[in-house]
Amino acid sequence: MAELTGDENGLAAVKISEETEESQEIPPELQEAVKQLQQYFQGKRQHFDLKLQPKGTDFQQKVWKELVKIPFGNTTSYLELSRKLGDVKAMRAVAAANGKNPLWIIVPCHRVIGSDGSLTGYAGGLHRKKWLLDFENPPAQQSLF
């Protein structure tokens, strides 16, 4: 289950919660985020159009702004992300900022992988990262004949 926080200024965080009881009362300022996340998981949305207000350092904000540019169904590496930010030596800092992303799925930190194509750390667990990547880019149907 996802737990969303935010206000009229925008969505601040999306967290995975182990709670199984769904809230029946969704604050008006979060209703659009809930709707868009439902559309995403129904396979009807590939891009989010929400007002965001994640809290973080200037560097973290810079990394997160770059993350939203990674298209649905695609991945990039920490090295490539560091290059786009102008400093290949900042790879560890980029990885740390990626790990502090409070807007899972909406700011798609799951789309960042190792340079060798390996799945690397994900705050939500590698099983969730793999699931999200497979969801966004399912294997092609093999022909039987």
Side-chain angles (χ1 to χ4, degrees):
M1 172 147 330
E3 180 182 319
L4 283 63
T5 56
D7 56 28
E8 63 279 350
N9 296 316
L11 187 63
V14 175
K15 297 177 186 171
I16 301 300
S17 171
E18 298 305 322
E19 298 266 334
T20 55
E21 188 174 316
E22 187 174 324
S23 174
Q24 298 302 313
E25 200 171 313
I26 301 168
E29 57 271 6
L30 297 177
Q31 289 177 1
E32 184 61 25
V34 169
K35 176 182 159 190
Q36 289 189 28
L37 279 165
Q38 288 172 334
Q39 291 170 338
Y40 170 84
F41 285 111
Q42 293 166 351
K44 298 176 182 175
R45 175 174 290 277
Q46 296 184 354
H47 175 76
F48 294 95
D49 184 24
L50 297 167
K51 194 172 177 183
L52 305 177
Q53 64 159 357
K55 292 184 180 15
T57 67
D58 289 344
F59 182 76
Q60 289 170 337
Q61 298 280 345
K62 191 175 170 183
V63 171
W64 301 336
K65 284 182 179 156
E66 202 61 41
L67 291 175
V68 296
K69 296 177 185 176
I70 305 169
F72 181 92
N74 290 275
T75 58
T76 193
S77 70
Y78 291 102
L79 178 60
E80 186 58 34
L81 197 52
S82 298
R83 279 188 188 124
K84 287 180 181 177
L85 291 166
D87 185 359
V88 294
K89 294 178 183 175
M91 203 164 61
R92 287 182 189 256
V94 167
N98 196 52
K100 297 284 186 185
N101 171 23
L103 290 167
W104 293 9
I105 301 166
I106 293 171
V107 175
C109 53
H110 61 278
R111 296 179 189 154
V112 184
I113 59 174
S115 295
D116 62 358
S118 64
L119 295 186
T120 57
Y122 185 62
L126 289 180
H127 66 290
R128 285 192 180 104
K129 182 173 190 165
K130 181 177 180 349
W131 188 93
L132 287 165
L133 292 173
D134 288 346
F135 174 75
E136 291 185 1
N137 197 8
Q141 175 75 26
Q142 298 283 325
S143 173
L144 294 176
F145 305 102

